[in-house]
């Protein structure tokens, strides 16, 4: 691996610290840190060439009074490699070096230690190993050594990620559930199943629209048409409420989330073979949903709308989807209604010096040149089939048609 290829693993919003293997294939160690944690390299630490360790220094805005900053080390000790004494000496010496300048620093050393004796490290530098359950089959290989255990909850061992055979370790601060909630949003959707579309097609093909013909004025005919149409839409395409989470990817479906929940339940129950089958099913479902999302939302945009295509590609590759922040003086950014009203008021002021239109001064409308155009039921059906129910509706509460269906 070269230094240029390492840039391929960069994630927007994170700083990437790594030490890759220069002489053999694969491997290496990495740390991803959010940019708002002020991540930095540790210049006072020099890592030997044959040791796979990477260090970083973070300084969050809020820390306990007794902790000045946090130093993190990602460690990998290959099995039967013969470098265990050198790796142990490096970790102990590095912590001692940092403590001479920052005696109140917090330390987190984590990674795959394999057969390395971590008890010796913890005893020499006053750290505690907090992982107690196996992390790969029945072996405890992945560990966390720290002096910050009282500020964190007990580590949670979850199922492996993707094709890895190592379990994932989740280690949350005591207040993480309050500071980083996955906000739940409820929205109203109108599913359009094939059977409902066929039933609606039969209705609209046989509809006589007598209520529209019997209405007097044009406005009355329009109201009668929309009343009949909305009644039919509510009958054949009833709405329902769905819950979405703020951190969900756009291709995540309720079925996929139920499968993931089942996979986690099987992992905790110890059903190894059932968990493995369910885990493989989740992997296949995720790949299928991503492919479906690409085909429905991205494929056609590649030529029609490159901007939307690029945005959706970033979402699929775990890129961030940033919401624009509109800064209006004297209005908080969370008050979206007040911001919209202020923008609307500003646009209105542009034409404030123009007198209002007097309808009495307008000339009378000439009679139409011919009869109104005739619209066939199948033409209406064709337009309704193009309606994309996920798009925002206009004043008539009917979503606009989409050219991408």
């Amino acid at each position: 691996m070269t230094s240029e290829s390492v840039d391929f693993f960069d994630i927007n919003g994170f700083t990437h610290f790594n030490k890759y293997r220069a002489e053999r294939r694969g491997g290496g160690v990495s740390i991803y840190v959010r940019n708002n944690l002020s991540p930095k390299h540790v210049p006072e630490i020099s890592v030997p060439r044959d040791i796979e360790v990477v260090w970083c220094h973070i300084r969050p805005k809020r820390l306990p009074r007794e902790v000045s900053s946090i130093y993190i080390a990602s460690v990998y000790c290959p099995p039967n490699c013969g470098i265990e004494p050198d790796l142990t000496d490096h970790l102990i010496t590095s912590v001692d070096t940092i403590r001479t300048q920052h005696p109140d620093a917090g330390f987190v050393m984590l990674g795959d230690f394999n057969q390395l004796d971590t008890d010796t490290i913890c005893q020499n530098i006053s750290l505690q190993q907090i992982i107690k359950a196996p992390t790969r089959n029945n072996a405890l290989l992945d560990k966390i050594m720290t002096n910050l255990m009282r500020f964190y909850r007990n580590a949670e061992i979850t199922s492996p990620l993707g094709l890895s055979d190592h379990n994932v370790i989740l280690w949350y601060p005591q207040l993480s559930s309050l500071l980083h909630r996955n906000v739940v949003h409820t929205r109203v959707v109108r599913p359009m199943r094939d059977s409902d579309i066929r039933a609606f097609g039969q209705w609209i093909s046989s509809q006589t629209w007598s209520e529209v013909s019997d209405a007097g004025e044009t406005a009355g005919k329009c109201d009668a048409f929309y009343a009949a149409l909305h009644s039919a839409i509510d009958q054949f395409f009833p709405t329902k409420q769905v819950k979405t989470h703020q951190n969900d990817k756009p291709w995540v479906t309720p079925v996929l989330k139920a499968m993931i929940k089942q996979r986690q339940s099987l992992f905790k129950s110890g059903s190894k073979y059932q968990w493995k089958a369910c885990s493989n099913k989740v992997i296949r479902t995720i790949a299928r949903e991503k492919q479906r999302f690409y085909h429905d939302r991205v494929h056609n945009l590649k030529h029609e709308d490159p901007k939307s295509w690029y945005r959706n590609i970033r979402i699929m590759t775990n890129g961030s989807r940033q919401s624009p922040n509109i800064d209006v003086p004297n209005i908080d950014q969370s008050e979206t209604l007040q911001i919209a009203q202020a923008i609307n008021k500003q646009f209105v002021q542009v034409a404030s010096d123009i007198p209002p239109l007097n309808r009495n001064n307008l000339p009378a409308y000439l009679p139409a040149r011919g009869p109104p155009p005739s619209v066939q039921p199948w033409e209406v059906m064709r337009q309704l089939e193009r309606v994309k129910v996920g798009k925002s509706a206009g004043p008539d509460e009917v979503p606009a048609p989409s050219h991408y269906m």
Side-chain angles (χ1 to χ4, degrees), residues 10-231:
D10 290 342
I11 300 177
N12 188 29
F14 290 79
T15 300
H16 182 204
F17 302 88
N18 66 84
K19 184 179 181 183
Y20 57 89
R21 293 176 179 173
E23 298 179 352
R24 55 196 179 105
R25 180 181 178 184
V29 287
S30 291
I31 301 176
Y32 287 91
V33 184
R34 291 186 181 274
N35 294 336
N36 59 3
L37 298 180
S38 303
K40 299 179 182 178
H41 289 280
V42 186
E44 57 265 36
I45 300 300
S46 177
V47 182
R49 182 180 179 85
D50 57 341
I51 291 179
E52 296 189 42
V53 178
V54 61
W55 289 85
C56 74
H57 171 232
I58 63 174
R59 183 62 175 86
K61 293 182 179 180
R62 293 185 178 181
L63 278 175
R65 291 183 179 272
E66 56 267 40
V67 180
S68 60
S69 59
I70 301 176
Y71 288 83
I72 304 174
S74 178
V75 183
Y76 177 64
C77 179
N80 304 320
C81 61
I83 64 168
E84 287 85 352
D86 295 335
L87 178 57
T88 301
D89 181 68
H90 167 74
L91 295 177
I92 295 175
T93 303
S94 299
V95 172
D96 288 340
T97 301
I98 295 173
R99 278 178 172 162
T100 57
Q101 302 180 20
H102 309 281
D104 297 327
F107 291 91
V108 178
M109 294 193 297
L110 46 80
D112 184 357
F113 291 87
N114 281 303
Q115 288 78 30
L116 183 67
D117 182 14
T118 56
D119 293 339
T120 301
I121 300 175
C122 293
Q123 293 172 3
N124 280 271
I125 53 181
S126 301
L127 300 183
Q128 182 176 344
Q129 203 289 110
I130 63 172
I131 306 301
K132 306 303 179 182
T135 59
R136 182 178 182 271
N137 296 328
N138 296 323
L140 203 170
L141 305 182
D142 305 275
K143 302 177 181 179
I144 298 178
M145 296 180 289
T146 182
N147 60 346
L148 303 174
M149 49 278 180
R150 64 185 180 279
F151 304 114
Y152 285 77
R153 295 186 290 176
N154 294 332
E156 179 182 352
I157 310 298
T158 64
S159 60
L161 181 64
L163 300 179
S164 173
D165 58 353
H166 286 249
N167 297 336
V168 174
I169 301 175
L170 302 178
W171 193 39
Y172 295 106
Q174 292 286 0
L175 299 179
S176 63
S177 59
L178 300 178
L179 298 177
H180 303 285
R181 279 183 185 164
N182 193 1
V183 181
V184 179
H185 298 285
T186 302
R187 61 188 182 95
V188 178
V189 298
R190 194 184 295 273
M192 301 183 70
R193 298 175 298 182
D194 291 340
S195 58
D196 296 335
I197 293 176
R198 288 193 294 270
F200 180 79
Q202 293 176 359
W203 171 84
I204 201 171
S205 300
S206 60
Q207 176 68 5
T208 60
W209 302 105
S210 58
E211 63 272 25
V212 179
S213 303
D214 297 339
E217 300 179 354
T218 304
K221 292 181 180 294
C222 182
D223 293 340
F225 170 77
Y226 277 114
L229 181 61
H230 288 163
S231 177

Side-chain angles (χ1 to χ4, degrees), residues 356-371:
L357 184 64
N358 187 355
R359 296 184 178 182
N360 296 327
N361 297 330
L362 295 177
Y365 288 101
L366 297 175
R369 296 181 179 180

